Amino acid sequence: MTTDQTPSLKSNFIIAIDGPAASGKGTLARRLARAFNLPHLDTGLTYRAVAAELLAQNLALDDEAMASEIAANIELGNLDKDILSDHKTGEAASKIAVMPGVRKALVEAQRNFASKAPGAVLDGRDIGTVVCPDADLKLFVSASPEVRAKRRHEELISKGKPSDYPEILSDLRIRDERDASRTDSPMKKACDALLLDTSKMDIETAFLAAKKWANAALAAKSKD
Ligand code: DC
């Protein structure tokens, strides 16, 4: 038993968490990883790292060959959330994420991360559908665009950064549309994913629900 009262892991235990920006999926993924003693990969950072490199070198965001080459050389150990989390990088990441060459390279690195014992928690847009379709637990975390924009707005204000709610809401809607309508691996709920709508939930309530599902998935796996 771990300190979190979870049974010991017999083999790779994979939790896949998908959902739109500011849905709370990142916080849930981090907390589940801690509770189950698993490494965590925020796959959004891998797309952000490619975008940040293109921006830093003043390269075009529609150069798929260059973006794919950068993607093939991304080091997962070097992803710095503080450096990659700004709004401009997120927008650019969503644009380069439509490119099959970029996705192919990043998905390979993400699968490699997930394949190591004792398993992992990964969050993103296509984890349950493409990266880890055999995950032990799949969650799709969602919330209304207004609630997500309010969260982002309050987060920026609390950090003393400038923020404009209508602009954030409009950008979120555009990003959702781009992420959900691209041809290669669009953001969507896997048919066997559990839906967690956090619109009217605080993060603690959402975490307790997710942890309950994860404990059940782990118990089912231990019986196999
Ligand atoms: O989760 P995030 O905001 O850091 O993600 C940034 C962008 O990266 C997102 O708008 C779309 C892309 N992305 C993706 O296409 N697939 C993933 N698994 C994760 C992120």
Side-chain angles (χ1 to χ4, degrees), residues 17-208:
I17 308 184
D18 291 301
S23 57
K25 67 180 188 311
T27 308
L28 281 180
R30 263 193 310 283
R31 290 196 58 179
L32 284 173
R34 210 180 310 137
F36 289 84
N37 280 320
L38 291 168
H40 165 227
L41 179 63
D42 171 352
T43 62
L45 291 181
T46 63
Y47 291 88
R48 284 172 182 263
V50 174
E53 188 60 31
L54 288 169
L55 291 171
Q57 293 188 40
N58 265 324
L59 295 167
L61 287 177
D62 60 359
D63 184 342
E64 181 160 357
M66 180 56 80
S68 306
E69 196 186 316
I70 294 171
N73 290 297
I74 288 295
E75 296 275 348
L76 298 189
N78 290 345
L79 302 171
D80 186 329
K81 192 172 169 58
D82 290 336
I83 294 173
L84 297 171
S85 69
D86 70 283
H87 183 68
K88 195 173 157 212
T89 309
E91 288 299 305
S94 171
K95 288 179 187 155
I96 57 102
V98 304
M99 299 169 174
V102 170
R103 301 204 71 85
K104 189 168 177 283
L106 294 182
V107 166
E108 193 184 317
Q110 294 159 10
R111 283 190 181 139
N112 190 28
F113 181 90
S115 71
K116 300 207 169 88
V121 180
L122 289 88
D123 71 276
R125 303 289 189 289
D126 61 340
I127 308 302
T129 50
V130 175
V131 181
C132 300
D134 298 326
D136 299 285
L137 175 67
K138 299 182 188 179
L139 299 179
F140 192 86
V141 185
S142 191
S144 71
E146 290 78 9
V147 167
R148 290 186 284 124
K150 186 165 172 276
R151 283 181 192 154
R152 218 358 90 82
H153 176 62
E154 286 171 355
E155 186 190 333
L156 288 168
I157 298 288
S158 75
K159 287 182 182 159
K161 294 192 176 156
S163 178
D164 178 61
Y165 173 82
E167 196 182 322
I168 290 182
L169 180 58
S170 154
D171 283 355
L172 269 183
R173 287 205 160 109
I174 294 169
R175 179 119 77 100
D176 284 357
E177 172 60 24
R178 194 189 298 118
D179 291 345
S181 66
R182 65 177 176 236
T183 321
D184 189 349
S185 317
M187 168 176 72
K188 80 168 180 233
K189 179 184 163 303
C191 52
D192 51 351
L194 299 165
L195 180 67
L196 192 55
D197 186 334
T198 65
S199 301
K200 292 183 184 150
M201 247 180 226
D202 61 26
I203 192 65
E204 188 59 26
T205 312
F207 170 65
L208 291 177

